[in-house]
Structure formats: structure tokens, C-alpha cells
Amino acid sequence: MDDYALSFWIYMGVMAVFVTGTLKRFLAAHVSAMPSLLAWLGATLLVERLCALCMPAVLALAALCAACWLYAAWAAPAPTLPVEGKAVFITGCDTGFGHATAKRLDALGFEVFATVLNLEGQGAKHLRSSCSPRLTLIQVDITQPQQVQQALITTTSKLGMKGLWAVVNNAGVCVNFGDAELSLMSNYRGCMEVNFFGTLSVTKAFLPLLRQNKGRILNISSPSGDQPFPCLASYGASKAALNLFTNTLRHELEPWGVKVCTILPSAFKTGQSSNTEYWEKQYEHLLQNLPPSLLEEYGEEYLMETKELFQSHAKTACEDLSPVVNTIVEALLATHPQARYYAGPGVGLMYFIHSFFPSSLSESFLKKLFMKKTVIPRALRKQNGMTLLNHNNNDISSNNNNITTITTKHPE
């Protein structure tokens, strides 16, 4: 009986170690590590079966020791490269990820070249006052090739023979509002100019320096470039182009020793995302530029709900940018950086569902996660004999709180 009790508790210990390891890999959720995750799950099931077959206490104890040793070896931090002598060029440092990354890398001892749109802006002033003299601020609009070339000349002249270790392509915009049909052509062009062509211009300009130093390229992308997020067609299309370019570049630069990584953040408060006035201007601009016939078919109440959902989503986004900054640092200093990094809460689980579940379930998950639309386009309501009522059953588009319900009119 005592031997059985000992075996039972050792069995529970072994299972705890393996299940904990499995959960840790799942929560990390790097899709590139899925084979390892599946192998870990297989090992868990194997140990569970062996223990279920009443393995002797001594053998179970040996298995527990081996499991603990393997877990400790696996959980040990990977060796990193030294910071000394490494220079990094970062775009889009006025605010958000770029600003926070420039400060962190400077504090770690990197020589940082930080680009901003405005050298007299608040972001640039804050970097000047809070960072060391190693940090160099350069005014660059990445959609202007001559400014990119001037940034290359400035960086090269200051580096001398030292070379450049990495480029962090962070600059990006999301000039988007509404469904794919409702998004203006200027939105599509604006996103592509910055998120794709601007990043492409910087990458091509700085590649000779990176090849010379066997350095790294880190592109800050978005899950919307891989998955069909509702109402993010223009932004997602530009990030999809960036993702394909990054993956192609990674294969092509492998013989040169240049590592190329994609950083995929979850939702964070950056740039104008939490600015109520910004969303109001976007909404008014859309109303003024949509064809009247299209506006009539969708209805202002449909656009209003979309704006409010974007605002609500922005308010709930994470303010702590450290998960992304930490991931950038990891990618810069890892001896063997991963092709893709998933930074922030929930994004790993989202990719796990996208990669291993049916597309219908994955897309349903995205709709519930991001844009829980309840208002139906006006033309569809008319086709289905519906009217939009408020809670007092008055025929108006929305009440003062913008709370609406859909009610079907039945024949008398």
C-alpha cells in the first residue's frame, strides 16, 4: 500500500512537470515552435501511460528526476550576444514602439540612430533629454527617397568603419476606417506608401551596411497582415505585402548571414489610437468623401457604430509597451533569432487558432474578438423588412447613448 502511495505521488509529480512544460509552450505560442510543442505533448502522454501501468516507485522517481532536469535545461535562458559596439537604426521614434525601443536600446548601451518626423516635436525632445549622447536623431519621412538616402549618409559617416548591426523598421500608419468597400482609395494608398513602400525603401538603402556586418532586419508587422480582421482591409493588405517581402528577404539573405525577423504585436495604445478627436475627424472625413449612394446603402448609423467600436477597442488596448520592446531586444541579441516573434497578450493564442483550427472557427473568433457589429447596413434592413429602433421603440437611428437594436416588422 505504501509503495502504491509513493508511486501515486511520484506519478503526480511527473505529470505536474510535463503538464506545466506543455502549458508554458502553449502560452508562449510561437507557431514556429509547434513541432516542439507536439513532441512535448507526446512525451506527456507517454509518461502518463507508463505511470498508469503502475511503474515501480524507483523507476518513477528516476523518471521524475529526468523530467526535472530536462525541464530545467529547457527553461534556462538562451545565451545572448554582447551589446558592445552594436549600432541600430530605428524608424518611427516620435511615439509608440519606436520611441520606447530607442530609449531601451540606448539604456542597454547600443548606439541608436532614431528617425522622427519632427526634430522639434515632443517625442524628439524627450529622447534628447532622456537618452545618452550616443543616440542620434534624424528627421526622416520614409516615403521620401531623398530623405532616406540622406539618413543613410548621416548614419554611414557617423559609424565610420564600425558597421551597422540592425535596422528596426517600425514606422507605420493605420489610415483606415470601416469596411473594405467603405475605405477610401487614399486609405489604401496611404497604408501601402508607409507600411510597405517606405519600409522597402529603408531596407534596400541600408542592406549593404547590414550585409557587410552580417546584421539583422526587424520588421514590425501586424496579425492583420495574416488574418482577415474586419474593417482593417487597407491596413491589413499593406502588412500582408510586408510579411511576404520579409519572408522572401529572409531566405535570400541567409547566405549573406543577415537574419530577418518579423515582430507581430497584439493590441497596444500607440500613436493616435486612443485620441478621440482623431477618430471623429476620420469619421467626418469618411462621410464627406463617400459617394452618396454608397452612404445611403450602408447608413450613417452603420458607420457610427464602426467608429465607436474602433474607439472602444483602442481604449481597452494595453498601455504597457514593454512586451514588444522586450521582444525587439531579444531578437537583436539572440544567437539564433526566430523568424517570427509574437509580442503581447493573446496574439500567440490567436495564431494557434488560425493555424490549427478550421477557417470558419478562426474567422468567427476574430469577429467576436475585434469588431462585434450589431447594426446591419441600411439596404439589407430594407430588403429583410427591418427597421432600426431604440429602446423606446421610436423610429430613429440611435438614441443618445448610441445603443441600438434590430427589430423585425411582422405583417398585421
Side-chain angles (χ1 to χ4, degrees):
M1 185 66 180
D2 290 341
D3 188 59
Y4 173 80
L6 179 60
S7 295
F8 171 78
W9 287 112
I10 292 176
Y11 162 79
M12 294 300 294
V14 172
M15 288 305 299
V17 170
F18 274 84
V19 170
T20 302
T22 301
L23 286 175
K24 185 173 180 180
R25 281 195 178 273
F26 176 80
L27 293 174
H30 294 295
V31 174
S32 60
M34 277 303 150
S36 300
L37 173 60
L38 294 176
W40 198 255
L41 287 170
T44 302
L45 292 174
L46 177 61
V47 170
E48 192 277 335
R49 285 296 89 201
L50 288 174
C51 292
L53 292 174
C54 301
M55 93 168 40
V58 175
L59 186 57
L61 183 60
L64 176 60
C65 293
C68 291
W69 180 81
L70 288 171
Y71 180 77
W74 166 71
T80 59
L81 299 172
V83 172
E84 291 75 17
K86 288 183 170 58
V88 179
F89 183 90
I90 312 171
T91 63
C93 296
D94 299 85
T95 60
F97 300 141
H99 186 88
T101 301
K103 289 179 62 177
R104 174 72 68 81
L105 295 186
D106 177 75
L108 289 173
F110 284 92
E111 182 174 359
V112 177
F113 295 86
T115 77
V116 293
L117 283 173
N118 184 5
L119 282 174
E120 301 305 319
Q122 290 301 315
K125 290 179 180 178
H126 185 260
L127 287 175
R128 281 196 197 95
S129 62
S130 60
C131 295
S132 73
R134 287 190 309 273
L135 184 135
T136 302
L137 285 171
I138 309 174
Q139 184 165 311
V140 180
D141 178 349
I142 65 171
T143 65
Q144 302 300 315
Q146 66 276 16
Q147 293 188 29
V148 173
Q149 288 300 318
Q150 185 57 51
L152 175 63
I153 294 170
T154 302
T155 304
T156 304
S157 62
K158 187 156 188 180
L159 284 174
M161 299 297 293
K162 187 165 61 174
L164 185 67
W165 172 246
V167 168
V168 180
N169 284 309
N170 165 74
V173 294
C174 181
V175 285
N176 183 86
F177 194 98
D179 300 33
E181 186 179 14
L182 296 174
S183 296
L184 305 174
M185 286 303 297
S186 59
N187 290 351
Y188 288 97
R189 292 192 177 97
C191 285
M192 288 297 294
E193 280 297 327
V194 178
N195 301 339
F196 178 66
F197 288 113
T199 299
L200 174 62
S201 177
V202 171
T203 302
K204 285 176 67 67
F206 282 83
L207 255 177
L209 291 181
L210 295 172
R211 286 191 288 103
Q212 196 176 31
N213 213 31
K214 294 187 176 179
R216 295 183 180 181
I217 298 171
L218 273 60
N219 289 339
I220 312 300
S221 188
S222 167
S224 63
D226 294 317
Q227 304 179 43
F229 279 79
C231 298
L232 283 181
S234 59
Y235 179 71
S238 67
K239 291 297 187 178
L242 176 62
N243 289 348
L244 184 60
F245 168 69
T246 305
N247 292 336
T248 304
L249 199 64
R250 185 174 66 255
H251 295 301
E252 294 175 347
L253 293 179
E254 188 175 358
W256 294 91
V258 176
K259 307 294 185 183
V260 183
C261 307
T262 301
I263 311 291
L264 296 156
S266 57
F268 290 90
K269 286 186 180 179
T270 59
Q272 298 285 348
S273 63
S274 57
N275 188 340
T276 302
E277 185 180 348
Y278 168 79
W279 292 112
E280 292 296 337
K281 288 181 178 179
Q282 289 278 312
Y283 175 68
E284 293 298 328
H285 180 72
L286 183 61
L287 289 181
Q288 293 169 8
N289 288 276
L290 274 180
S293 59
L294 192 59
L295 179 59
E296 174 61 28
E297 289 190 0
Y298 277 89
E300 288 188 29
E301 62 279 358
Y302 183 85
L303 274 65
M304 174 68 74
E305 186 196 39
T306 303
K307 181 199 71 169
E308 291 171 353
L309 287 172
F310 267 94
Q311 287 179 315
S312 175
H313 183 74
K315 288 178 182 178
T316 60
C318 184
E319 294 184 6
D320 179 16
L321 306 183
S322 60
V324 178
V325 177
N326 293 341
T327 302
I328 292 172
V329 173
E330 179 185 347
L332 287 174
L333 295 178
T335 54
H336 301 288
Q338 300 175 16
R340 284 188 157 205
Y341 289 89
Y342 304 95
V347 67
L349 176 60
M350 184 192 309
Y351 268 90
F352 182 83
I353 293 173
H354 175 69
S355 301
F356 296 99
F357 283 63
S359 58
S360 57
L361 290 177
S362 175
E363 291 176 12
S364 177
F365 173 75
L366 283 182
K367 290 177 182 177
K368 291 181 179 180
L369 178 72
F370 184 61
M371 297 289 282
K372 301 176 183 178
K373 298 186 73 66
T374 58
V375 176
I376 298 174
R378 186 180 295 167
L380 292 179
R381 293 200 305 272
K382 290 179 180 179
Q383 290 177 15
N384 296 324
M386 291 175 155
T387 185
L388 193 63
L389 304 178
N390 73 349
H391 289 294
N392 294 322
N393 294 324
N394 297 318
D395 286 322
I396 59 175
S397 62
S398 63
N399 63 8
N400 291 332
N401 296 319
N402 295 315
I403 301 173
T404 59
T405 57
I406 301 296
T407 305
T408 303
K409 281 187 174 179
H410 297 284
E412 297 292 329

